[in-house]
Amino acid sequence: MSASERTPIDRALANEMLAAAIAEARAGRTTGGIPIGAALFTREGTLLGRGHNRRVQDDDPSTHAETAAFKDAGRRRDYPDCIMVSTLSPCWYCCGLIRQFGIGAVIVGEARNFVGAHEWVADLGVEVIELDDPECIELLGAFIAEHPEVWHEDIGL
Amino acid sequence: MSASERTPIDRALANEMLAAAIAEARAGRTTGGIPIGAALFTREGTLLGRGHNRRVQDDDPSTHAETAAFKDAGRRRDYPDCIMVSTLSPCWYCCGLIRQFGIGAVIVGEARNFVGAHEWVADLGVEVIELDDPECIELLGAFIAEHPEVWHEDIGL
């Protein structure tokens, strides 16, 4: 099925999916890390994997929330019917993942604290939904205010 | 120092760095995995991190050679004076990593078995050296011939 033939993702379902990513972001905050969470779902809403940024907890710069969720989902043959849900606009690294593996859709919790490359993948045909969620904005915004140096390190700025 | 002010990477040094990535690719083959290796160096040739693709060994689709080397190097404030060396042209996922973290240079072992996005990062100002190395070509070429389904899964094709 091509992207244009798919039923658009329902907003209520998108918010339900975002709740899983927010729970991950909260878990990241609780363990002293950067509060960004993500989850990978099927378009029908089945959870495949979830995770959060692990830079602080594991001294691991490679584990962004999206790559953690992708890893947690394990091996798959392909991803066109998958949705990557993140509390934050995915950066170039994570959008590169989305492009390389052909993930069909992205749900963006917020793009106020940081604008990554979600418009780039949208231009490539990925279905992108921005939710502008207040809790996503508050969680990361508070962390950035408290630990700007960790945030800038994480995002390469 | 801007990219244009830097001394270009010496070919002999580039080949020395590539040897570390090839050793990782061989280790990947020995353990039954996809033989792609990478290493992160300073421009002066100090090894910061190294690793290889772990899809098969760990059932981990998120660990490409480049992300493994990046993780192995640990946390850093920035990367403009770093070189990512890979036995293969880095895919969109790994070039997204290079772009997001501002890695200054990329050494590509080969771009015959697969052309990733190294020209994209070159256009963005990253110094890119292609070495067209026979051992890199042979290592991955033999794996693709033997396990095309694993290769296609790994690269999202």
Side-chain angles (χ1 to χ4, degrees), chain A residues 55-56 59-64 67 70-71 74-77 79 91-93 96-97 99-101 114 120 149-150 152-157, chain B residues 55-56 59-64 67 70-71 74-77 79 91-93 96-97 99-101 114 120 149-150 152-157:
Chain A
R55 174 175 295 269
V56 174
D59 280 332
D60 176 3
S62 75
T63 301
H64 275 194
T67 67
F70 182 77
K71 176 177 180 172
R75 290 173 61 178
R76 290 180 71 84
R77 179 59 192 88
Y79 296 85
C91 75
W92 285 105
Y93 172 38
L97 176 84
R99 175 171 186 167
Q100 189 65 45
F101 291 97
F114 171 75
W120 177 62
E149 74 296 347
V150 179
H152 290 144
E153 180 190 303
D154 191 64
I155 215 67
L157 296 175
Chain B
R55 174 175 294 270
V56 173
D59 280 331
D60 175 4
S62 76
T63 301
H64 274 194
T67 67
F70 182 77
K71 176 177 180 172
R75 290 172 62 176
R76 288 180 72 83
R77 180 58 193 88
Y79 297 84
C91 75
W92 285 105
Y93 171 38
L97 176 83
R99 176 172 185 166
Q100 189 64 45
F101 290 98
F114 172 74
W120 178 63
E149 74 296 346
V150 179
H152 290 143
E153 180 190 304
D154 191 63
I155 216 68
L157 296 176

